[in-house]
Amino acid sequence: MARHLITSALPYINGIKHLGNMVGSMLPADVYSRYLRQRGHDVLYICATDEHGTPAELAAKEQGIPVADFCAQAHDAQKAVYDGFALAFDYFGRSSSPENREITQHFARRLNENGFIEERAIRQVYSPVDGRFLPDRYVEGTCPHCGYDKARGDQCENCTRVLDPTDLINPRSAISGSTDLEIRETKHLFLLQSKLENEVREWVAKHDKDWPQLASSIAHKWLTEGLHDRAITRDLDWGVPVPADTWPELAAEGKVFYVWFDAPIEYIGATKEWADAARDTDPSTRDWKSWWYDVDNTVRYTEFMAKDNVPFHTVMFPATELGVREPWKKVDYVKAFNWLTYYGGKFSTSQKRGVFTDQALDILPADYWRYFLIANAPESDDSSFTWEHFTATVNKDLADTLGNFVNRVLSFSRKRFGDDVPAGGRPGEAETKLGEQIAGLLAEYEAQMEALQFRKAAAALRALWSAGNSYLEEKAPWLEIKTDKDGAALTLRTAMNLIHLYSVVSEPFIPATAKTMREAFALADDTAPWVTADEARALTSVPAGTPFTVPPVLFAKLTDEDLETYKERFGGTEA
């Protein structure tokens, strides 16, 4: 049994996330975590809300409430949505936690002791109208690289280039909109990434051949351009404060650490939150350091993120970990995703373009979305969400291939043989052939899940479902029963065993539906976490005589009227 540490890129606190955020980090991490747990591995899946930085302050100001209150409310709202999507985090923390503050300050002190932090006087944007220095995200303007007119002072959302506020064309204050901006001198802490570049380069070289091409290419792009020393403090009221015992002058000025310095450290912080949460019950079961400190050979660490987060996780955070000169666990595998677009245009929280996760759950249960998103995950390239594609996938894969198979098998068997699984004759050539096919498809499914190839894993799962339909069409028990009642009973018993197999192996994708399918059979001690190859060949886990019930329709088909309603509500045209 292996130990697997899994993290998703932290969702930012400012607003409910859209489907692109869901499929770009949290959902695939959940699918993978569920799969690993079913295979008997020791898994710790950690995530948290990313709560510091400019947007949180601006959103709180807009609502007229303290930023701490805003973040607490927004955290609870996001967590409710993720619960609705059945994301089985072991812990979902907050980057504003005392634990993250403690560990972030520890990292900063260690980096300073090792000569990787330097205090520098810099010239920074100052707004006389606002009466304050403007951190990077408080400055907006036109990107000098791609011309996007809503670029922020830290990074262009359109082309993902990292920026400084002074790079922007026609800059303006994000607080007041004022273009009356000045450049004044102030002091900040800099992480000397240039001194760590060779170490980062060597570390990336050890891992990048195993990473997806997307993650590897982005890391090398940054390294090719050279690592520059970066300011890691900001002039904000909300964040992890610069410790006064190390930098008294900056602490007195209210400097806080840059959100992209403390946010990745929150993976560690949230793990300590997880451990501290059990302090009064059974703290011995939660040793947070056993997942993070001096565990290179005992823990496999996998990170999930969209491509815009890759540079920070493959270059900046590893540089931080290397610089502290302590044996903190660094990522083994970076699963990076391209973007899910909405009719060819970007989902956008700020522009409210596309379907947001809370809206999705208002429309349909989570399993509809979970399956569609993973089956169309943007792994090799950007993929486009359209209502036409969503409707067709739901109707074909979920309603017809899986749902209809379950319903017609159980309904027909109950009608002709009663409420117990029928016995029938001995398995014949068709059942032997089916068992070999199912075992082969299960092996393919397992291989793709192990390789974190989610679209291919979904295709293998779909093929498992399709195999049941092909078998049913071949045997045609509705005709078979007229001349061979035992043969029809065998066919239905075999099909019911397929349903039970589906309930087990489909759990990572559609957990609620999998539970419903499994509970259709009154099996004593039905706790098997997975299906072995021999069990797949035999298809005998549900013996004759087992009581069963017919569940409600698993997936309702979506109509043309539904399609038009969705398009009218959310838009359905090319960007």
Side-chain angles (χ1 to χ4, degrees), residues 15 31 109 166 205 209 314 316 489 500 541:
V31 170
R109 290 188 187 100
T166 53
K209 291 181 181 178
T314 59
M316 186 172 178
H500 186 267
S541 295

Side-chain angles (χ1 to χ4, degrees), residues 251-264:
E253 293 175 3
K255 306 284 187 184
V256 300
F257 286 107
Y258 174 39
V259 63
W260 260 113
F261 181 74
D262 82 85

Side-chain angles (χ1 to χ4, degrees), residues 291-312:
W291 289 95
W292 281 103
Y293 199 83
D294 199 17
V295 293
D296 266 355
N297 297 322
T298 61
V299 173
R300 179 169 175 79
Y301 179 19
T302 306
E303 291 177 343
F304 289 79
M305 71 200 68
K307 59 186 175 183
D308 53 333
N309 286 324
V310 168
F312 299 99

Side-chain angles (χ1 to χ4, degrees), residues 516-533:
T516 297
M517 288 191 288
R518 193 159 186 167
E519 290 177 347
F521 302 101
L523 283 170
D525 302 319
D526 183 20
T527 59
W530 198 247
V531 179
T532 68

Side-chain angles (χ1 to χ4, degrees), residues 111-177:
L111 287 164
N112 186 58
E113 291 166 8
N114 296 329
F116 296 119
I117 286 183
E118 183 175 280
E119 185 177 329
R120 294 179 181 176
I122 65 169
R123 294 172 63 78
Q124 187 175 338
V125 176
Y126 184 87
S127 170
V129 171
D130 299 307
R132 61 178 293 174
F133 283 101
L134 299 181
D136 42 22
R137 285 199 175 203
Y138 274 59
V139 186
E140 297 177 343
T142 299
C143 175
H145 303 288
C146 70
Y148 181 61
D149 64 0
K150 295 182 178 63
R152 302 185 303 257
D154 63 337
Q155 186 177 25
C156 177
E157 186 183 41
N158 186 58
C159 71
T160 77
R161 291 290 291 267
V162 174
L163 303 170
D164 287 317
T166 53
D167 294 333
L168 295 173
I169 301 168
N170 299 322
R172 58 188 179 275
S173 166
I175 304 173
S176 62

Side-chain angles (χ1 to χ4, degrees), residues 176-188:
S176 62
S178 173
T179 57
D180 179 20
L181 304 180
E182 302 174 0
I183 304 296
R184 297 186 183 182
E185 188 172 278
T186 185
K187 291 182 179 179
H188 280 286

